[in-house]
């Protein structure tokens, strides 16, 4: 590649995803900070889907999938297949994985996969998204724009960049494009976000954004929006807030829409209160009146049933005794049976096996439950 910052053999390999140092204002945080300059990432343990995403990113970095579960392999291969097809369609291209891109002073990030072609004048920026939720469209997404800006700065020969956000869980690919003429507009947007954060611009309450904010409990604006929902506890807790009707008496769909949108935020607030109270008690040593610090033993889990059985057998445990200690995943067993069936008959074989288990009273299916789920907006 013809550029002023071409990698040399001595260029250090980026650290694994989970170990990387992140800039205070990274591309992935720009959307949240644009909504609220006071937003701060929550420091609680990463969600299971986030942990899986990190694992899949690292597997794709190394192009090694043997350690992944069957479901994870499907997600990883969906991404690698897409990038492989893209490379085949661009003869003579060069590929860069996990390169650090400097966007503005103090703002940097790592691009998942970059393909440069057309005489180093065009690049394809591929980003893997393992969430179950769509982000802002590529053509409006500040993170996508920031990475494009970083690429234009790193490689002066580039004139155009195609951006590809892959959502394998949703079977969606969101694409867009940027030209070098967009750089001034993008840089101004990122600079404005950064300046608003550094100047302490006022907070803004947006439920979906606040849900993942580390300042949720201490934010007066969020508290002002949330406390009225807890007003039914006013008399018992001595909280002076406006009264709301008993939820069993609410008959207005618009009111229910508001309550349902705030419910996840209330759950996050309660979780954050408990975690920070424990942190306060442990670090300060001060007692909290009416509460005591207790310890709950961590849950033990067998991670390799086959090896566990080998050790148990040596210890004198019979197969029947071992099986009595196990809990078989109904879905996993049905899927395993379906995989043994000929192509085109997997569904019918799976259903027949399920019927057999039901008839023999070894499969119990619980009653259906009902819940409200937010409708995804499509453009």
């Amino acid at each position: 590649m013809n550029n002023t910052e071409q990698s040399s053999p001595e260029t250090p390999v980026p650290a694994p995803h989970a170990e990387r140092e992140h800039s205070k204002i990274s591309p992935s945080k720009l959307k949240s900070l644009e909504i609220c300059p006071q937003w701060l990432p929550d420091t609680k343990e990463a969600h299971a889907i986030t942990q899986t995403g990190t694992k899949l990113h690292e597997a794709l970095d190394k192009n090694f999938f043997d350690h992944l579960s069957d479901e994870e392999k499907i997600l990883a291969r969906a991404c690698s297949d897409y990038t492989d097809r893209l490379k085949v369609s661009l003869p003579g291209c060069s590929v860069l994985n996990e390169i650090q891109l400097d966007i503005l002073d103090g703002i940097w990030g790592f691009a998942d996969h970059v393909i440069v072609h057309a005489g180093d004048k065009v690049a394809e920026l591929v980003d893997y998204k393992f969430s179950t939720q769509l982000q802002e469209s590529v053509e409006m997404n500040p993170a996508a724009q920031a990475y494009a800006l970083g690429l234009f700065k790193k490689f002066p020969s580039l004139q155009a960049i195609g951006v590809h956000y892959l959502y394998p869980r949703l079977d969606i690919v969101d694409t867009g494009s940027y030209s070098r003429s967009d750089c001034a507009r993008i840089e101004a947007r990122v600079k404005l976000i950064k300046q608003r954060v550094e100047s302490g611009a006022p907070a803004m309450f947006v439920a979906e954004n606040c849900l993942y904010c580390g300042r949720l409990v201490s934010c007066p604006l969020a508290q002002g929006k949330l406390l009225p929902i807890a007003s039914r506890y006013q008399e018992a807790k001595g909280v002076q807030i406006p009264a709301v009707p008993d939820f069993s008496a609410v008959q207005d769909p618009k009111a229910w829409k508001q309550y349902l949108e705030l419910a996840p935020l209330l759950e996050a607030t309660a979780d954050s209160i408990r975690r920070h109270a424990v942190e306060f008690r442990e670090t300060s040593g001060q007692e909290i009146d009416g509460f005591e610090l207790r310890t709950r033993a961590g849950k033990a889990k067998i991670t390799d049933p086959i090896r566990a059985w080998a050790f148990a057998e040596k210890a004198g445990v019979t197969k029947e005794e071992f099986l009595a200690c196990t809990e078989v995943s109904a879905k996993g067993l049905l899927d395993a049976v379906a995989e043994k069936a000929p192509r085109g008959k997997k569904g019918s074989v799976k259903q027949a096996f399920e019927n057999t288990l039901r008839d023999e009273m070894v499969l119990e299916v619980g009653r259906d439950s009902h819940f409200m789920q937010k409708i995804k907006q499509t453009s």
Side-chain angles (χ1 to χ4, degrees):
M1 292 181 59
N2 298 319
N3 60 75
T4 58
E5 299 188 33
Q6 184 172 356
S7 298
S8 65
E10 292 76 26
T11 300
V13 177
H17 270 72
E19 301 174 12
R20 285 181 191 163
E21 180 185 0
H22 297 281
S23 59
K24 182 179 179 181
I25 302 178
S26 64
S28 63
K29 300 172 186 173
L30 287 173
K31 175 191 171 183
S32 296
L33 291 171
E34 180 173 318
I35 294 172
C36 175
Q38 298 295 321
W39 184 86
L40 186 70
D42 200 340
T43 56
K44 68 181 179 182
E45 183 179 358
H47 190 280
I49 289 181
T50 303
Q51 294 176 347
T52 299
T54 299
K55 180 180 178 182
L56 288 168
H57 270 94
E58 293 178 353
L60 285 159
D61 291 349
K62 300 172 184 176
N63 196 30
F64 181 77
F65 305 153
D66 289 358
H67 62 298
L68 302 178
S69 68
D70 289 344
E71 180 184 1
E72 290 167 346
K73 286 177 181 176
I74 291 173
L75 297 174
R77 284 172 180 155
C79 294
S80 62
D81 288 349
Y82 182 91
T83 55
D84 287 345
R85 289 194 300 271
L86 195 56
K87 285 180 282 189
V88 168
S89 70
L90 303 169
C93 65
S94 55
V95 178
L96 301 166
N97 284 320
E98 295 299 328
I99 58 170
Q100 181 172 332
L101 298 175
D102 295 318
I103 291 96
L104 285 179
D105 183 33
I107 302 179
W108 74 86
F110 292 87
D112 288 344
H113 199 83
V114 177
I115 304 170
V116 182
H117 59 101
D120 296 349
K121 292 183 179 180
V122 183
E124 308 300 325
L125 171 64
V126 182
D127 205 331
Y128 314 128
K129 302 297 181 185
F130 296 105
S131 172
T132 57
Q133 300 292 327
L134 283 174
Q135 295 187 5
E136 289 288 325
S137 67
V138 162
E139 295 187 343
M140 285 293 295
N141 195 304
Q145 293 184 356
Y147 280 123
L149 177 62
L151 273 175
F152 280 126
K153 287 187 172 185
K154 191 173 187 69
F155 303 116
S157 61
L158 286 178
Q159 299 302 312
I161 298 173
V163 183
H164 310 247
Y165 271 22
L166 312 186
Y167 297 87
R169 291 184 187 274
L170 304 174
D171 194 24
I172 290 174
V173 177
D174 183 21
T175 60
S177 62
Y178 292 96
S179 67
R180 186 166 286 277
S181 62
D182 294 316
C183 285
R185 173 175 59 88
I186 295 172
E187 186 163 356
R189 181 184 186 184
V190 177
K191 186 177 292 185
L192 179 57
I193 294 171
K194 181 173 183 287
Q195 290 176 347
R196 279 165 50 81
V197 171
E198 294 174 345
S199 66
M204 179 175 292
F205 178 84
V206 176
E208 292 180 0
N209 203 47
C210 297
L211 185 59
Y212 303 103
C213 180
R215 290 197 173 105
L216 180 62
V217 173
S218 60
C219 177
L221 183 60
Q223 290 180 15
K225 298 289 185 179
L226 294 171
L227 286 177
I229 304 303
S231 62
R232 62 187 182 277
Y233 300 115
Q234 179 175 350
E235 183 176 348
K237 302 299 182 182
V239 180
Q240 298 302 313
I241 54 178
V244 298
D246 188 305
F247 287 125
S248 63
V250 176
Q251 299 297 318
D252 184 358
K254 292 182 179 179
W256 278 121
K257 178 179 184 296
Q258 181 182 26
Y259 296 149
L260 285 169
E261 287 177 342
L262 288 172
L265 204 54
L266 286 170
E267 293 166 358
T269 302
D271 178 65
S272 187
I273 289 172
R274 295 187 186 99
R275 287 187 298 102
H276 286 91
V278 169
E279 182 180 338
F280 167 80
R281 173 62 180 80
E282 290 179 332
T283 57
S284 71
Q286 299 180 60
E287 297 289 348
I288 300 174
D289 186 32
F291 294 85
E292 63 178 351
L293 184 64
R294 302 289 297 273
T295 300
R296 182 184 295 111
K299 184 178 180 181
K301 179 181 179 181
I302 298 295
T303 58
D304 191 333
I306 295 175
R307 293 188 65 207
W309 159 240
F311 290 120
E313 187 177 28
K314 290 179 182 178
V317 177
T318 68
K319 184 180 292 186
E320 289 74 17
E321 290 170 335
F322 181 80
L323 289 174
C325 300
T326 64
E327 181 176 344
V328 179
S329 165
K331 180 182 183 302
L333 180 57
L334 292 170
D335 288 344
V337 170
E339 284 300 314
K340 300 291 184 181
R343 190 170 184 177
K345 295 186 178 180
K346 296 184 184 296
S348 59
V349 169
K350 181 177 181 179
Q351 186 60 58
F353 184 69
E354 179 179 341
N355 293 341
T356 299
L357 295 182
R358 287 179 185 245
D359 293 342
E360 296 298 325
M361 306 294 288
V362 294
L363 175 64
E364 179 180 308
V365 179
R367 296 179 61 182
D368 291 345
S369 60
H370 303 282
F371 63 96
M372 300 300 295
Q373 178 172 312
K374 189 172 184 179
I375 299 172
K376 294 178 181 178
Q377 300 296 324
T378 57
S379 56

